[in-house]
Amino acid sequence: MHGPASPGWLLVALCAATGAYCLLRMRSTVEEQRRAAGGEALMGFGMAAMAVPATVFTPPVWAWPLYAAVFGAAALRALWSARGSTHHLHHLVGTAAMVYMAVVMAASPSAHHHGGAGVPAVTGLLLLYFTGYVLLSGARLVPVAVAAAGSGTAGWGDRPELARACRLSMGIGMVAMLLGL
């Protein structure tokens, strides 16, 4: 991405930390949580790689089509998984946004240093979606009545509030990346 290096590195750190936590969530005993965590780990690490400031590292020309192919495959997987869970529709939008950003970067490698790249209507729709998602996810993190005592301790992979915080972090990261496009 473009822009000052400090915010770029903060975005890299946020996305990489989120990806690392999602890897921990893959140790869950619930299969659906493991699958979702795997897709979210891919998104976190992919976003971290895309967010590395261009002043530090400019990816080779073959990197952007590779990103588009990887996230295109992830989008197909999310589309297939959406048959059983509507949560995967969000994964579909996220992976499609990653494909879109990779295609924009591949089509205009010099534009990613100066901004103004991409189709404004598509970028705007993605910004609206992810801004709404961030606001809704943030509202869902507001504490509610605690479950009955004695429900046992949940492992790192089975903590729904941490999974929501993870998704919120990635949503914030996506908004920042789309704004920088």
Side-chain angles (χ1 to χ4, degrees), residues 35-104:
R35 283 189 198 155
E40 291 165 359
L42 174 67
M43 287 292 293
F45 289 127
M47 289 170 61
M50 287 180 85
V52 172
T55 57
V56 176
F57 175 72
T58 302
V61 294
W62 53 264
W64 299 119
L66 179 65
Y67 281 134
V70 167
F71 285 103
L76 289 174
R77 183 177 183 277
L79 181 62
W80 182 258
S81 298
R83 297 174 305 124
S85 171
T86 57
H87 170 71
H88 292 285
L89 291 175
H90 172 69
H91 286 177
L92 178 61
V93 173
T95 53
M98 294 292 282
V99 170
Y100 169 70
M101 288 188 288
V103 168
V104 166

Side-chain angles (χ1 to χ4, degrees), residues 92-178:
L92 178 61
V93 173
T95 53
M98 294 292 282
V99 170
Y100 169 70
M101 288 188 288
V103 168
V104 166
M105 294 302 187
S108 57
S110 62
H112 80 282
H113 294 288
H114 305 293
V119 179
V122 175
T123 304
L125 284 173
L126 289 171
L127 274 169
L128 280 174
Y129 173 81
F130 283 104
T131 300
Y133 182 80
V134 164
L135 293 173
L136 183 61
S137 295
R140 287 181 179 164
L141 282 175
V142 174
V144 294
V146 178
S151 61
T153 59
W156 281 101
D158 297 320
R159 307 267 316 257
E161 71 280 7
L162 293 178
R164 287 186 192 123
C166 172
R167 293 179 190 124
L168 175 64
S169 297
M170 283 195 291
I172 292 169
M174 191 64 79
V175 168
M177 289 175 74
L178 287 165

